[in-house]
Amino acid sequence: MRIIPVILSALAFAAAGVGAYFAAGLTVSWIENSSATAVEKRLALEGFDWASVQTDGLKVVLEGEAASEALRFKALAAAGQIVEAARVIDNFTITDSRPPVAPKFSVEILRNDKSISLIGLLPTKADNANFKDRVARIAGDLPVADFLETADYPVPDAWSSVISYGLLALERLEHSKISIGETQVTIEAIGESDAQKSKLLEELTRRTPADITSKIGISAPRPVITPFTLRFRITADGASFDACSADSPEAAVQILAAAKAAGLAEEAICRQGLGVPSPLWSKAATQAIAALAKLGSGSVTLSDADVTLTAPAGTDPTLFDTITSRLDGDLPEVFALNPILLVAPETPEDDAAIPEMVATLSPEGQVQIRGPVISPRAQRTLQTFAYAVFGSEDVYLSTKLQDNLPEGWMVRSLASLAGLSKLNSGIATVSPNAIDITGLTGRRSAKTDIAQILIDRLGDGAEFELEVTYLEELDPLARMLNGAECVAEITDLASQNKIKFEPGSATLDGDSRDTVQAIAEVFERCLEAPIEIGGHTDSQGREEMNLNLSKGRAEAVLTALRGARVKLKSLTAEGYGETQPIADNGTEEGREANRRIEFRLVTPATLEAPETQSETSDTATAEETSNE
C-alpha cells in the first residue's frame, strides 16, 4: 500500500517540472519578442529603417547595410538605450563606396649649424631619391636626419615646384625652418645682417615659381656694434651727428630728443645694436650732448664708456672747466670723461710749408692721391693700402718725400683713405689739425661708418669734419622700378624696338631676340609686380586660329624672357586674338597696329576691365608681323 503515495509524489513532481519548463519557454519568448519590438520601434523612431532586428535568446542581433561608419555607431547606440549593450550583437555591414581621402603631402626641413632634419609625408611616385640626394649635397658634411614617410597617392600638380623652391631656400639659408606644402612654401629663417636679410628676401621673392605661393619671414639679429660709438658736433653751420648708436628704440628717441634740444635741425637716425657698455648709455649720451650745447660749439664723442668732450680754440677756459666738471660728476659711474680744450696752432711763416694730403675718388672709381710722405717705406705702405682698398688699376699716386711731417701722419692718411672708400665719390683732405671728408653715397649708414673708422684708428679725441650726402639715385635698392615704372620703361623701349615673329607662326625672328634681351635687362631692375604679356592679332583668319596664335606668341615672349633669366614670378602670358582691336581692321595700317604684343600691369581694375588702349602708362606695345 505504501507504493501508491510514492508514485503519486513522483507524478506531482514530474507535472511541476513540465509546467515550469513550458512556463520558462513562454517567458523567454515574451522577453525576446518584447525586446525585438522595442528595439525596432527605437530604430524606426531614429530613422534607421535600413536596420533589422533578430533575437537569439536574450541576445538582440542587428543586421543591415549602414551607409557609413558613423550611422553604424548611431544605430548601435540607439539599440543600447533599450537593452543592455552586452546583449546587442553587431552584424552590420558598411556600404560607403567613397574613395579614401588622399593625405596632405608636406615636408618640414630644419637646418642649423649641426644638422638638417627632414620630417613629413612624400608621394611614393615622386622623385624622392633625387630630393634626398640634393639635400645631401646641400648638407655637405652635416648629418641629415631622415624622418620621411611615403604614401601611394597621386603626386600634387605643383609638387616639383614646391620641392625645388624649398631646396633653393635651404641652400641659401643656414639657419631656417622650411615648411613645404602642396602649393605653398613657408620659410622662417635668421639672416646674419639687415643687408643679407634684404638680399635674401629679394631673391627668394623674385624666384618663387608662378604656380605656387611663398610666405617668407627672415629676421636679422641686431648687429654687434664695437666699439659702441656716438659723435655729435656743433659748428657755425649747425648741429649734426657723425655717428649715433643706441641699444633700444627708447634709447634712440632719448638721444635724438637731446640732440634736437641742442640745435639739431636735420633728420637723424641712431643705429641700434648689441654691445652697449652700460644700460645707462642713453643717459650718458644725453648728458654729454647737453653739456656740449652749453659750450655752444665743439664735439662730443662716446666710444664705449669713454666720453671725450672737445672744445674749439678760443673757448672760455673757466666756462669749459665748469661744464666739464659738472658733466664728470653727473655721468654714470662706469663712464670716464676726457675733456679737451684745443689750442690754436701756430701758423708757419711760409704757408706753403703746411703739409696736406688730398685723395679724390671719382664716380667711375678712379682714385688720385697727392701729398707728402715721410719715407720710401711709408710711400710703399700708402700705395699697398690704396691698392687693397680701391684696386691697383684704379689708383694714381703722386707723392713726395718730406721729413718734417706731424706725428701720426701716416695713420691719419690711411684712416682717411679707409673712410673715403665708403663713398661713391668724394674728397678726403688730411692736414696737421684735422681730417675733412666730403662726398656722395648711396648708403644711408655711410657717414656713421666713416666716423666709426676714424674714431677706431685715431682715438676719441680725433678732429674730423664729415660732409656726406646721401643720394637716392646712388642707392641700388632705391633705383629699383615699381610695377608702373617698369611697364612705362618697357613702353618706351618697345616703341623704338618692335617685336616681330616669323610669318604665321609664334617664332621670334632674329632681330627681335635683341629686343627681348633689352626688355629682360629692364626687368632685372623691376620690383616684383604682376605683369601680363598680352598677344593680339587682326581680324583676318578664323577667330579660333587667331586666339591660338596670339596665345602662342605671348608665350614665346615669356619663354624668351625666362631664358634671359627674368625672375619675376608673377610674369604671365595671355592671348586675346582679335577681341581687343585698337585700330580699324578695314585698313592695312589698322591691321598692322592690331597685330601687337602688350605688356601691362595687372591690377584688380584691369582684371575687371582689360586695358585696350596702347597709349596708357600701364601698357607697352610691340608690333608683330602679319597673322598670315
Side-chain angles (χ1 to χ4, degrees):
M1 294 295 295
R2 295 178 59 187
I3 193 171
I4 293 174
V6 173
I7 292 172
L8 292 174
S9 297
L11 291 173
F13 277 112
V18 172
Y21 173 78
F22 282 106
L26 291 173
T27 301
V28 170
S29 177
W30 178 82
I31 293 174
E32 289 179 349
N33 292 335
S34 62
S35 296
T37 300
V39 172
E40 285 177 345
K41 289 182 179 180
R42 185 67 182 183
L43 293 176
L45 184 63
E46 295 284 346
F48 304 124
D49 298 332
W50 47 267
S52 62
V53 182
Q54 306 292 331
T55 57
D56 182 8
L58 296 178
K59 296 179 180 179
V60 178
V61 182
L62 302 181
E63 297 179 344
E65 295 183 347
S68 66
E69 189 71 21
L71 288 176
R72 181 180 77 86
F73 278 113
K74 289 181 179 180
L76 290 174
Q81 294 177 4
I82 303 303
V83 299
E84 295 180 4
R87 293 171 55 195
V88 179
I89 305 301
D90 176 13
N91 280 350
F92 287 137
T93 57
I94 306 298
T95 60
D96 190 356
S97 59
R98 291 178 299 175
V101 179
K104 293 291 185 181
F105 293 109
S106 63
V107 180
E108 189 165 281
I109 307 177
L110 307 175
R111 180 177 183 181
N112 55 36
D113 292 331
K114 298 181 180 179
S115 66
I116 294 178
S117 298
L118 306 176
I119 307 166
L121 182 66
L122 303 175
T124 301
K125 294 183 177 63
D127 193 357
N128 299 324
N130 180 57
F131 166 64
K132 294 180 182 180
D133 287 343
R134 291 173 66 184
V135 172
R137 289 196 297 269
I138 293 172
D141 296 333
L142 294 177
V144 178
D146 186 350
F147 300 102
L148 295 172
E149 297 182 359
T150 60
D152 192 8
Y153 287 88
V155 180
D157 294 338
W159 188 250
S160 175
S161 295
V162 292
I163 289 294
S164 297
Y165 183 69
L167 291 176
L168 168 69
L170 178 65
E171 185 176 9
R172 298 290 191 272
L173 304 168
E174 296 183 357
H175 299 85
S176 58
K177 173 185 175 184
I178 303 168
S179 300
I180 301 174
E182 295 184 354
T183 59
Q184 177 173 299
V185 178
T186 301
I187 300 170
E188 299 176 27
I190 299 175
E192 294 180 358
S193 64
D194 284 332
Q196 186 196 50
K197 170 185 172 181
S198 300
K199 181 179 179 181
L200 290 171
L201 276 173
E202 179 186 357
E203 178 183 9
L204 293 174
T205 300
R206 290 168 63 87
R207 297 188 66 175
T208 303
D211 56 342
I212 70 172
T213 58
S214 61
K215 185 177 180 181
I216 307 171
I218 301 177
S219 60
R222 289 187 298 168
V224 176
I225 303 174
T226 177
F228 222 74
T229 306
L230 180 147
R231 179 179 169 87
F232 184 73
R233 293 186 300 120
I234 299 177
T235 65
D237 296 328
S240 63
F241 276 108
D242 289 330
C244 183
S245 304
D247 58 322
S248 68
E250 296 76 15
V253 169
Q254 294 174 8
I255 294 171
L256 293 176
K260 289 182 179 180
L264 179 67
E266 61 186 21
E267 290 296 324
I269 298 175
C270 287
R271 61 174 177 172
Q272 298 174 33
L274 305 175
V276 65
S278 167
L280 300 176
W281 166 268
S282 60
K283 180 179 180 180
T286 56
Q287 289 175 338
I289 292 172
L292 180 63
K294 293 177 181 177
L295 284 175
S297 62
S299 67
V300 60
T301 303
L302 279 76
S303 179
D304 284 338
D306 295 324
V307 181
T308 302
L309 182 64
T310 304
T315 301
D316 182 357
T318 303
L319 176 63
F320 179 74
D321 290 340
T322 300
I323 292 175
T324 55
S325 297
R326 170 171 285 186
L327 176 61
D328 192 23
D330 292 341
L331 284 172
E333 184 175 350
V334 70
F335 292 89
L337 177 63
N338 177 30
I340 299 177
L341 178 57
L342 297 178
V343 178
E346 296 182 1
T347 303
E349 296 179 0
D350 184 3
D351 290 342
I354 300 176
E356 183 178 77
M357 190 203 78
V358 178
T360 304
L361 172 63
S362 72
E364 296 74 27
Q366 301 294 322
V367 179
Q368 293 186 355
I369 304 173
R370 304 176 183 275
V373 292
I374 197 168
S375 66
R377 180 179 180 182
Q379 190 176 44
R380 289 191 299 271
T381 300
L382 184 67
Q383 181 184 56
T384 301
F385 183 81
Y387 284 174
V389 173
F390 300 102
S392 59
E393 297 180 357
D394 295 323
V395 175
Y396 171 77
L397 274 82
S398 177
T399 56
K400 60 182 180 180
L401 299 179
Q402 185 172 329
D403 56 6
N404 60 342
L405 295 176
E407 184 179 353
W409 182 261
M410 178 54 63
V411 175
R412 292 158 61 81
S413 300
L414 298 180
S416 68
L417 292 180
L420 184 65
S421 68
K422 300 298 180 181
L423 301 177
N424 290 68
S425 62
I427 299 174
T429 304
V430 180
S431 64
N433 300 314
I435 294 176
D436 295 331
I437 298 179
T438 62
L440 307 176
T441 180
R443 295 172 55 249
R444 295 184 183 276
S445 64
K447 186 174 183 180
T448 297
D449 294 339
I450 295 172
Q452 185 80 60
I453 290 172
L454 298 179
I455 293 171
D456 287 348
R457 303 191 181 193
L458 305 179
D460 302 344
E463 280 296 302
F464 56 85
E465 296 284 339
L466 302 180
E467 294 296 335
V468 176
T469 303
Y470 167 81
L471 293 181
E472 190 175 85
E473 56 265 31
L474 299 177
D475 191 334
L477 291 178
R479 293 201 305 270
M480 298 295 285
L481 305 174
N482 61 32
E485 293 169 337
C486 180
V487 172
E489 189 157 332
I490 293 174
T491 300
D492 182 62
L493 179 62
S495 66
Q496 303 175 36
N497 304 279
K498 299 180 178 180
I499 297 175
K500 297 181 180 181
F501 296 86
E502 298 293 337
S505 75
T507 302
L508 287 162
D509 72 5
D511 294 338
S512 294
R513 298 188 183 278
D514 293 337
T515 302
V516 172
Q517 182 60 45
I519 292 174
E521 292 175 1
V522 175
F523 273 123
E524 284 299 312
R525 296 186 286 112
C526 294
L527 296 171
E528 186 63 42
I531 296 175
E532 179 189 88
I533 306 169
H536 301 267
T537 68
D538 60 29
S539 61
Q540 292 185 327
R542 292 185 294 110
E543 183 176 348
E544 182 179 0
M545 181 191 71
N546 288 337
L547 182 63
N548 292 335
L549 180 61
S550 66
K551 175 71 170 176
R553 288 178 169 178
E555 290 180 342
V557 175
L558 176 60
T559 300
L561 290 173
R562 294 296 187 201
R565 301 184 181 277
V566 172
K567 300 173 183 177
L568 265 68
K569 69 171 184 176
S570 52
L571 187 63
T572 58
E574 188 57 68
Y576 295 96
E578 60 189 66
T579 62
Q580 297 181 16
I582 59 173
D584 183 6
N585 276 309
T587 66
E588 178 56 36
E589 293 79 6
R591 290 192 295 272
E592 182 177 350
N594 289 332
R595 297 190 294 267
R596 67 196 190 278
I597 289 289
E598 290 182 348
F599 292 82
R600 68 167 184 162
L601 181 64
V602 180
T603 64
T606 58
L607 288 174
E608 294 175 4
E611 182 65 66
T612 60
Q613 300 299 321
S614 64
E615 292 82 11
T616 64
S617 61
D618 285 349
T619 304
T621 303
E623 181 180 357
E624 299 179 358
T625 61
S626 171
N627 303 343
E628 300 176 356

